[in-house]
């Protein structure tokens, strides 16, 4: 696995930001930077946390457009453009605009009234008029090219109410997107009125589109109002379901059969736990799956679907140097030692360096890294500077740190459980554990802040310092007071400066040497966090990120 090189100038610039970062000026400058992409980033964050059914309709990358030709009930109106093609005894191919009298004018034919004609009947109406002049040998095709431009109000519980321009046949969802979508915390997805003056022309339920593919076909006119009502009753689902979302409903209660249709539980789900809060009292109700359809759910219920069954066996993936199968089935409660006895090692297996990777450990490592990155980001965005000039410089430097934070968030830990000590055989196996059996190796890898990162042949009597020198020695930016040594089994050793050149410290074949960058101690407190994050990333992911 390869490591990226630290770039000294970039790191130095980023580290400088810690001593002076931000001021009232720097803070506002940096926050403006966040605001430029803020709406999209905030929307994505809300989608991740809010679990509102239908929220992706208004995600930043979702694209919508007008669908003039696909609304058969659209009524042609003044200002629309119609493409007319005639061939045979007469030839004509032009785009005609519907005039103030509601007509299009066809040479040799005269005016044809089309205002009020439904889109699906347009071709028939024009053909009838042309047939009055050309009885035979003439064919034609009339099609709505572009609808009239209109301005529509979007009001109610949307993120940015206002007046928006579009086409008379424009998609309702597109108008809502122009208003930055329904406010997930306050707005309704199931009650959206289309109003013309005091008249409610149509009430739209977006669930019809989301669950049945029914597109809300609406013809707009200048001054129409799209009004999003307040959010109605809600219920949330999670666990073993296809749709783990917050759902909205208009009645005082929701039948279990309707909830099942919306949430689509996985076939392996066996129970549903209902957490219900009523006034000052809260209760928990356990349901078998065959009881859910007939159960009556109330607003505010939170339903968790799960597989409440005792596991009999566990599936473990086995990789690396061995002669057995890629997967091993073990009885529930089995230990690593039990699994060890089932493995078929080859003559090249390194049985002293068995590696265990676990999803639950990976998640805990990820959570810890994200928490430390959040603290670093908060420090960067909330620090202060004394002058406007200093604030501008600090904001630029802070940008480097924020880019580092963004990239660090994308790196996934390995989730390795180090199998060392006397009791490693007693570790119980978990579902989806992954065992890696390394092959016997006679190599030592040297990475990080050395001039020529490389992989070297293991030498029995060589010191750690010798391997570093064979990699070109430390860079000017190297942390020379401590070096990380990763053993083949995942064990981690931090080698202090006094032992780097000592013959007392022994390397083994398959070891990996990581030299981290030196961090100037005067750049506190931000750099203390940054130094620890870089260290944690190197240990948990075997990846070194540069700033």
């Amino acid at each position: 696995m390869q490591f990226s090189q630290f770039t000294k100038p970039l790191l130095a610039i980023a580290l400088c930001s810690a001593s002076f970062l931000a001021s009232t000026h720097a803070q506002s400058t940096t926050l403006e930077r966040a605001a430029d992409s803020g709406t999209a980033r905030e929307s994505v964050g809300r989608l991740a946390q809010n679990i509102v059914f239908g929220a992706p309709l208004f995600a930043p990358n979702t694209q919508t457009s007008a669908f003039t030709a696909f609304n058969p009930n659209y009524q042609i109106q003044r200002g629309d453009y119609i493409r007319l093609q005639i061939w045979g005894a007469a030839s004509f191919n032009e785009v005609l605009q519907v005039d103030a009298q509601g007509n299009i004018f066809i040479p040799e034919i005269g005016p044809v009234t089309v205002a009020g004609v439904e889109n699906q009947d347009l071709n028939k109406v024009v053909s009838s008029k042309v047939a009055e002049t050309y009885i035979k040998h003439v064919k034609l095709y009339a099609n709505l090219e572009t609808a009239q431009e209109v301005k529509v109000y979007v009001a109610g519980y949307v993120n940015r109410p206002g007046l928006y321009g579009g086409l008379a046949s424009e998609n309702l969802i597109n108008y809502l997107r122009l208003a930055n979508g329904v406010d997930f915390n306050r707005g309704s997805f199931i009650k959206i009125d289309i109003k013309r003056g005091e008249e409610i022309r149509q009430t739209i339920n977006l669930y019809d589109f989301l669950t049945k593919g029914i597109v809300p076909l609406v013809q707009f006119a200048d001054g129409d109002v799209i009004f999003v009502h307040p959010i109605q009753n809600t219920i949330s689902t999670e666990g073993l379901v296809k749709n783990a979302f917050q759902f909205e409903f208009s009645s005082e209660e929701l039948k279990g059969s309707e909830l099942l249709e919306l949430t689509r539980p996985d076939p392996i789900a066996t129970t549903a736990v209902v957490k219900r809060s009523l006034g000052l009292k809260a209760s928990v109700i356990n349901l078998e799956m065959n009881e859910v359809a007939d159960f009556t759910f109330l607003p505010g219920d939170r339903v968790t679907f799960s597989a409440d069954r005792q596991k009999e066996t566990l599936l473990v993936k086995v990789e690396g140097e061995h002669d057995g199968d890629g997967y091993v089935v073990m009885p529930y409660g089995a230990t690593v030692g039990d699994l060890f006895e089932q493995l078929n090692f080859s003559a090249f297996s390194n049985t002293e360096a068995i590696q265990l990777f676990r999803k639950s450990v990976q998640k805990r490592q990820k959570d810890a890294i994200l928490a430390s990155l959040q603290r670093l980001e908060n420090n960067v965005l909330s620090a202060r500077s004394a002058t406007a000039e200093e604030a501008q410089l600090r904001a630029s430097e802070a940008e480097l740190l924020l880019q580092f934070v963004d990239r660090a968030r994308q790196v996934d830990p390995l989730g390795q459980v180090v199998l060392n000590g006397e009791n490693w055989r007693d570790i119980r196996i978990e579902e989806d554990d992954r065992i890696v059996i390394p092959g016997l190796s006679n190599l030592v890898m040297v990475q990080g802040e050395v001039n020529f990162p490389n992989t070297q042949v293991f030498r029995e009597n060589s010191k750690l310092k010798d391997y570093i020198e064979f990699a070109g020695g430390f860079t000017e930016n190297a942390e020379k007071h401590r070096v990380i040594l990763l053993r083949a089994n995942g064990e981690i050793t931090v080698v202090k400066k006094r032992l780097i050149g000592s013959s007392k410290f022994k390397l083994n074949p398959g070891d990996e040497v990581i030299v981290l960058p030196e961090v100037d101690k005067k750049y506190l407190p931000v750099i203390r966090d940054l130094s620890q994050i870089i260290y944690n990333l190197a240990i948990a992911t075997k990846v070194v990120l540069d700033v």
Side-chain angles (χ1 to χ4, degrees):
M1 188 168 301
Q2 298 298 317
F3 301 83
S4 58
Q5 278 290 86
F6 280 79
T7 305
K8 181 180 179 182
L10 288 178
L11 182 60
I13 292 173
L15 298 182
C16 286
S17 64
S19 61
F20 303 104
L21 262 175
S23 70
T24 23
H25 300 289
Q27 185 175 3
S28 61
T29 303
T30 307
L31 291 177
E32 285 173 8
R33 164 251 185 205
D36 290 340
S37 61
T39 302
R41 180 175 289 189
E42 179 184 356
S43 297
V44 172
R46 292 178 65 191
L47 291 182
Q49 299 174 13
N50 218 312
I51 62 167
V52 174
F53 183 62
L57 278 175
F58 308 113
N61 295 328
T62 304
Q63 298 295 326
T64 61
S65 59
F67 48 88
T68 303
F70 298 102
N71 184 352
N73 299 320
Y74 175 81
Q75 294 183 347
I76 306 299
Q77 58 184 334
R78 293 164 180 81
D80 287 352
Y81 287 89
I82 295 173
R83 175 168 291 279
L84 179 62
Q85 296 171 291
I86 302 176
W87 66 96
S91 179
F92 184 80
N93 187 355
E94 295 290 344
V95 175
L96 306 174
Q97 186 176 19
V98 181
D99 62 25
Q101 285 74 43
N103 302 322
I104 57 173
F105 188 85
I106 307 175
E108 308 298 333
I109 304 296
V112 180
T113 301
V114 293
V117 174
E118 290 188 350
N119 195 18
Q120 60 186 349
D121 297 327
L122 177 62
N123 203 70
K124 180 172 62 176
V125 170
V126 177
S127 294
S128 298
K129 184 65 176 179
V130 171
E132 295 177 3
T133 302
Y134 295 97
I135 301 175
K136 296 181 179 181
H137 307 301
V138 169
K139 295 183 179 180
L140 66 81
Y141 180 77
N143 182 55
L144 178 64
E145 181 97 342
T146 307
Q148 173 70 9
E149 293 185 1
V150 296
K151 293 189 181 298
V152 175
Y153 291 96
V154 183
Y157 295 90
V158 293
N159 288 304
R160 196 173 63 183
L163 181 64
Y164 297 97
L167 300 178
S169 61
E170 193 76 52
N171 189 330
L172 165 72
I173 297 172
N174 195 56
Y175 278 110
L176 291 173
R177 277 179 52 79
L178 292 174
N180 274 5
V182 174
D183 185 327
F184 300 150
N185 296 316
R186 303 184 301 143
S188 174
F189 274 70
I190 64 174
K191 190 175 183 182
I192 302 173
D193 288 342
I194 311 299
K195 304 177 68 176
R196 184 165 296 170
E198 296 296 324
E199 176 192 0
I200 298 178
R201 299 178 55 234
Q202 193 172 349
T203 297
I204 303 297
N205 182 342
L206 290 180
Y207 279 17
D208 290 338
F209 171 65
L210 293 167
T211 63
K212 303 173 186 177
I214 299 175
V215 179
L217 299 178
V218 182
Q219 181 170 343
F220 293 101
D222 269 330
D224 281 356
V225 177
I226 300 172
F227 182 80
V228 177
H229 282 261
I231 191 171
Q232 302 193 47
N233 296 324
T234 62
I235 186 171
S236 298
T237 62
E238 60 187 8
L240 297 176
V241 291
K242 300 292 191 302
N243 296 324
F245 294 111
Q246 173 184 288
F247 296 96
E248 184 181 358
F249 57 100
S250 58
S251 58
E252 294 302 318
E253 56 187 35
L254 184 67
K255 290 296 183 183
S257 55
E258 298 178 56
L259 180 65
L260 291 174
E261 185 177 347
L262 287 170
T263 200
R264 299 179 59 205
D266 291 341
I268 63 172
T270 60
T271 61
V273 177
V274 183
K275 297 179 182 179
R276 174 171 294 173
S277 298
L278 294 174
L280 298 177
K281 296 183 179 180
S283 60
V284 176
I285 305 168
N286 287 299
L287 301 172
E288 298 295 328
M289 283 303 296
N290 57 7
E291 300 175 320
V292 175
D294 296 326
F295 186 79
T296 299
F297 293 91
L298 299 180
D301 284 353
R302 188 172 190 89
V303 188
T304 302
F305 292 87
S306 61
D308 187 14
R309 56 165 65 92
Q310 179 66 42
K311 294 181 179 178
E312 294 185 0
T313 58
L314 298 171
L315 185 65
V316 181
K317 187 175 184 180
V318 182
E319 301 176 351
E321 186 60 52
H322 68 111
D323 292 333
D325 296 331
Y327 289 90
V328 177
V329 177
M330 298 295 296
Y332 184 78
T335 65
V336 174
D338 297 330
L339 175 63
F340 193 85
E341 300 300 326
Q342 299 293 322
L343 299 177
N344 295 319
F345 298 110
S346 72
F348 304 103
S349 298
N350 185 357
T351 58
E352 302 298 323
I354 302 296
Q355 301 169 359
L356 170 61
F357 298 93
R358 178 163 289 178
K359 287 188 176 181
S360 60
V361 173
Q362 181 185 41
K363 183 180 183 305
R364 290 197 295 271
Q365 289 177 335
K366 183 74 171 182
D367 290 344
I369 290 172
L370 291 178
S372 59
L373 289 172
Q374 186 63 53
R375 288 195 301 271
L376 176 62
E377 187 174 47
N378 291 342
N379 288 338
V380 171
L381 293 175
S382 62
R384 301 177 179 275
S385 294
T387 65
E389 291 78 8
E390 184 179 308
Q392 184 176 3
L393 176 61
R394 300 305 157 242
S396 176
E397 295 170 346
E399 182 72 21
L400 290 175
L401 280 174
L402 293 174
Q403 290 176 6
F404 167 81
V405 169
D406 287 341
R407 287 185 290 119
R409 283 195 173 113
Q410 307 305 314
V411 179
D412 288 326
L414 298 176
Q416 184 169 4
V417 178
V418 180
L419 302 180
N420 60 0
E422 298 178 356
N423 300 320
W424 65 267
R425 288 175 173 267
D426 297 330
I427 298 175
R428 285 182 57 184
I429 296 172
E430 292 185 5
E431 186 71 31
D432 296 323
D433 276 354
R434 182 167 63 94
I435 295 290
V436 176
I437 305 170
L440 293 172
S441 174
N442 197 33
L443 303 174
V444 174
M445 180 180 293
V446 184
Q447 297 288 349
E449 285 296 325
V450 291
N451 286 302
F452 307 107
N454 59 25
T455 300
Q456 305 172 29
V457 176
F458 172 75
R459 300 179 296 277
E460 182 67 37
N461 297 320
S462 291
K463 307 169 187 176
L464 176 57
K465 181 180 179 181
D466 298 331
Y467 287 100
I468 293 173
E469 288 179 353
F470 273 102
F474 293 115
T475 66
E476 293 182 3
N477 195 44
E479 169 61 84
K480 302 172 185 175
H481 297 284
R482 62 172 182 173
V483 173
I484 296 175
L485 183 64
L486 296 180
R487 301 291 190 182
N489 67 344
E491 185 177 349
I492 303 159
T493 303
V494 178
V495 184
K496 298 297 180 65
K497 181 179 181 181
R498 59 186 177 83
L499 294 176
I500 292 177
S502 172
S503 59
K504 297 180 180 180
F505 187 83
K506 181 175 176 58
L507 275 75
N508 298 320
D511 284 351
E512 192 168 330
V513 179
I514 301 178
V515 181
L516 294 179
E518 182 178 21
V519 178
D520 196 327
K521 300 303 180 185
K522 70 180 180 180
Y523 299 119
L524 297 175
V526 173
I527 292 310
R528 183 186 293 118
D529 293 338
L530 179 60
S531 175
Q532 188 62 40
I533 290 170
I534 292 173
Y535 177 82
N536 291 342
L537 283 171
I539 297 302
T541 68
K542 294 189 179 181
V543 173
V544 177
L545 293 180
D546 60 337
V547 179

